[in-house]
Amino acid sequence: MATLIILLVMLVVLVLIGLAMAVRIVRQYEKGVLFRFGRLVGPRAPGLRFIIPFADVLHRVSLRIVTMPIQSQGIITRDNVSVDVSAVAYFRVVDAVKSVIAIENVNSAINQIAQTTLRKVVGQHTLDETLSETDRINLDIRQILDVTTAEWGVEVTLVELKDIQLPESMKRAMARQAEAEREKRAKIINAEGESLAAAALGDASDTMMTHPLALQLRNLQSLVEIGVDKNTTVVFPAPLMSTIGELGAFLTREATAASATAPSSPTSVPVRNPTKSARVPEPEPNGAAETQDPVSAPASARPQ
């Protein structure tokens, strides 16, 4: 009786061990690939799956997107510039059977092929294209990888250049180039400003030739601008002085013409300037002091 109980216990233990070896759980983000005696049976969907112990082998393959960094590569561009370029690749398994049968280690294979493809694609572009056309380079790398990895049941979803390291001498040369470009643009803008200013001055000179008083108004405005500060030196330009002289000559001509056309009076009394004082004659040597009327004095004694 005791022997029978021991046998039953051992049988139960063996059954439990067999069930444990026969039960497999495939997660939602995985897919199983079943082999029986080394031959492919087929894929298995997620869930609880039973296999035959010692006869079946179930490989579980993850279908999630994998992020794979591509280590920095020393690359010589088409214009013979040495750069260090690193990137990152995103891929996922779309055919679990091919990813198990066609290649041994899919992650390592994709890492190696991504490095060689990165070196080949970047080497076909110049430095300026590598820095400015990263989107086109990323697309070229992805297309090349898709063609290669399609046989492995893997799809490359995205490839991005992560970092581009330039030599220090090249950085200094690019800085000088950028500075020269800025100076060129500044000189061009300055020349365009001078051209516009010259054109505006030409239009202003034409306007002043049409309207002569505009030049005088501009001179007066310049004097007002100069006199804003307290200590200033007023400079009268030559055209303004000639205008003042012409104005004085004009007034003199007008006064002469007015005196010539005025009617003559019966008696003309000379008008003397009251501000001029009469000259007092010196006393005679004999001591007799004579006082002469400035009116009755000879013409030679009158003050000039």
Side-chain angles (χ1 to χ4, degrees):
M1 189 65 183
T3 304
L4 182 60
I5 294 175
I6 294 173
L7 292 175
L8 291 175
V9 172
M10 294 178 60
L11 181 61
V12 171
V13 171
L14 291 176
V15 170
L16 293 177
I17 294 175
L19 289 176
M21 297 177 62
V23 174
R24 292 290 184 272
I25 297 176
V26 180
R27 299 180 180 89
Q28 183 63 38
Y29 55 84
E30 295 176 340
K31 181 171 286 190
V33 180
L34 182 61
F35 291 88
R36 180 167 296 164
F37 296 109
R39 300 186 62 181
L40 176 66
V41 177
R44 292 294 182 265
L48 183 63
R49 296 289 176 255
F50 293 95
I51 62 174
I52 300 174
F54 306 105
D56 295 346
V57 177
L58 183 65
H59 292 275
R60 287 173 290 194
V61 179
S62 177
L63 303 181
R64 293 179 293 182
I65 295 177
V66 180
T67 302
M68 176 174 292
I70 304 173
Q71 62 182 0
S72 180
Q73 302 292 314
I75 305 172
I76 299 178
T77 60
R78 195 175 64 183
D79 52 351
N80 298 325
V81 178
S82 178
V83 295
D84 294 334
V85 182
S86 61
V88 58
Y90 299 87
F91 68 91
R92 64 186 181 92
V93 177
V94 294
D95 192 338
V97 176
K98 287 184 178 180
S99 65
V100 174
I101 296 176
I103 193 166
E104 181 179 359
N105 190 339
V106 64
N107 292 340
S108 177
I110 293 178
N111 188 12
Q112 296 298 323
I113 193 64
Q115 293 181 16
T116 56
T117 304
L118 174 65
R119 186 181 297 108
K120 179 175 65 175
V121 173
V122 175
Q124 296 175 354
H125 295 78
T126 62
L127 178 62
D128 293 337
E129 293 175 351
T130 304
L131 296 176
S132 61
E133 300 180 4
T134 55
D135 293 339
R136 186 161 64 90
I137 295 176
N138 295 335
L139 183 60
D140 294 342
I141 296 174
R142 177 186 171 186
Q143 290 176 353
I144 295 175
L145 290 178
D146 280 338
V147 174
T148 305
T149 59
E151 300 177 358
W152 305 340
V154 177
E155 178 187 6
V156 179
T157 59
L158 184 63
V159 176
E160 290 287 342
L161 296 181
K162 186 170 61 174
D163 189 18
I164 301 176
Q165 295 291 336
L166 301 176
E168 293 298 329
S169 58
M170 184 57 61
K171 291 181 180 179
R172 291 192 295 268
M174 293 177 65
R176 290 194 300 269
Q177 178 184 1
E179 184 179 358
E181 183 69 22
R182 292 290 182 180
E183 290 180 357
K184 182 186 75 172
R185 292 173 59 184
K187 291 180 179 179
I188 291 175
I189 294 173
N190 188 17
E192 291 178 352
E194 293 290 341
S195 177
L196 295 176
L201 289 176
D203 296 339
S205 62
D206 295 339
T207 303
M208 290 181 180
M209 291 179 64
T210 307
H211 304 282
L213 292 179
L215 180 59
Q216 305 304 325
L217 294 176
R218 181 58 185 167
N219 291 333
L220 294 176
Q221 184 179 1
S222 299
L223 293 177
V224 172
E225 293 176 355
I226 293 174
V228 173
D229 298 333
K230 294 181 180 180
N231 298 327
T232 57
T233 300
V234 179
V235 179
F236 291 94
L240 181 60
M241 300 302 297
S242 63
T243 302
I244 295 174
E246 293 176 359
L247 181 59
F250 174 76
L251 294 177
T252 303
R253 290 195 301 269
E254 290 294 328
T256 304
S259 62
T261 57
S264 60
S265 58
T267 59
S268 59
V269 179
V271 180
R272 301 177 58 194
N273 190 351
T275 59
K276 295 183 178 180
S277 59
R279 185 178 62 180
V280 180
E282 296 180 356
E284 296 294 334
N286 55 5
E290 294 182 0
T291 302
Q292 294 181 353
D293 187 4
V295 178
S296 61
S300 60
R302 294 177 184 176
Q304 298 296 327

